[in-house]
Amino acid sequence: RNFYSCSDDGLVRCWSVCPLPSNDGGPSSSSSSTSTSSKRSTPHGPLETWRVAGTFKSIDYARSSDYFATASDSAVEIWSPDRSSPVQTHSDLWGSDDTVSIVRYNPAERSLLAMCSADRGIGMFDTRLSSPLRKTVLSMKSNCLEWNPMEPMNFVVG
């Protein structure tokens, strides 16, 4: 059982709920053109770390798959724990360069994502498509979005 965290310094980390002792004592690393991934198995450190340019504001996981999504300065990215770079990147956010502050997976429809941005926008994504679905601009800025677990076709924004 693993969980993921993200931070303003551009790091996504994979942590183990039940840490295992280190096997070989040394971290191994690999890199690509857009991100860096390092793996290590220590009792109190992350199992894996990915670094990308920019900062992360939010992270959420798909409950029925291994994928997770991150919200960053100007993109929503879908990640797989098996890759060191995003599987899918949504950087064309309806012509807006504003920061995406929150991203959430729908609890029932595993390919549906919702996000809030700094320009008071709320957007929807379907990960099966290569483009965003819809965006609505509110009269006030929103900093939180949650899907209703009992009625997953509804969400609340605060």
Side-chain angles (χ1 to χ4, degrees):
R1 307 269 306 163
N2 297 334
F3 68 94
Y4 298 89
S5 65
C6 67
S7 59
D8 281 339
D9 59 358
L11 293 175
V12 174
R13 292 184 173 105
C14 174
W15 303 85
S16 175
V17 174
C18 303
L20 301 173
S22 177
N23 293 338
D24 59 358
S28 65
S29 66
S30 63
S31 64
S32 68
S33 61
T34 60
S35 66
T36 302
S37 174
S38 65
K39 294 183 178 187
R40 67 178 180 169
S41 179
T42 63
H44 303 290
L47 294 174
E48 196 161 357
T49 301
W50 298 281
R51 178 183 296 277
V52 297
T55 64
F56 292 110
K57 303 299 181 193
S58 176
I59 191 168
D60 197 29
Y61 70 98
R63 289 172 176 88
S64 58
S65 72
D66 289 338
Y67 292 108
F68 59 95
T70 57
S72 64
D73 293 330
S74 60
V76 172
E77 297 173 322
I78 312 300
W79 296 77
S80 169
D82 302 327
R83 295 185 54 182
S84 62
S85 61
V87 175
Q88 196 174 60
T89 300
H90 294 280
S91 57
D92 181 23
L93 302 174
W94 302 278
S96 173
D97 289 334
D98 281 334
T99 300
V100 179
S101 57
I102 191 102
V103 64
R104 292 287 181 254
Y105 270 101
N106 184 297
E109 182 62 47
R110 66 179 176 218
S111 62
L112 186 63
L113 283 163
M115 68 88 174
C116 294
S117 60
D119 65 348
R120 304 183 330 259
I122 298 172
M124 302 280 247
F125 297 93
D126 188 337
T127 59
R128 297 171 291 193
L129 304 175
S130 60
S131 62
L133 294 176
R134 179 117 184 165
K135 181 179 179 181
T136 300
V137 178
L138 303 176
S139 60
M140 298 180 73
K141 182 182 174 190
S142 53
N143 55 4
C144 189
L145 182 144
E146 292 295 334
W147 292 96
N148 185 335
M150 299 302 286
E151 297 174 347
M153 66 288 231
N154 298 320
F155 62 89
V156 64
V157 177

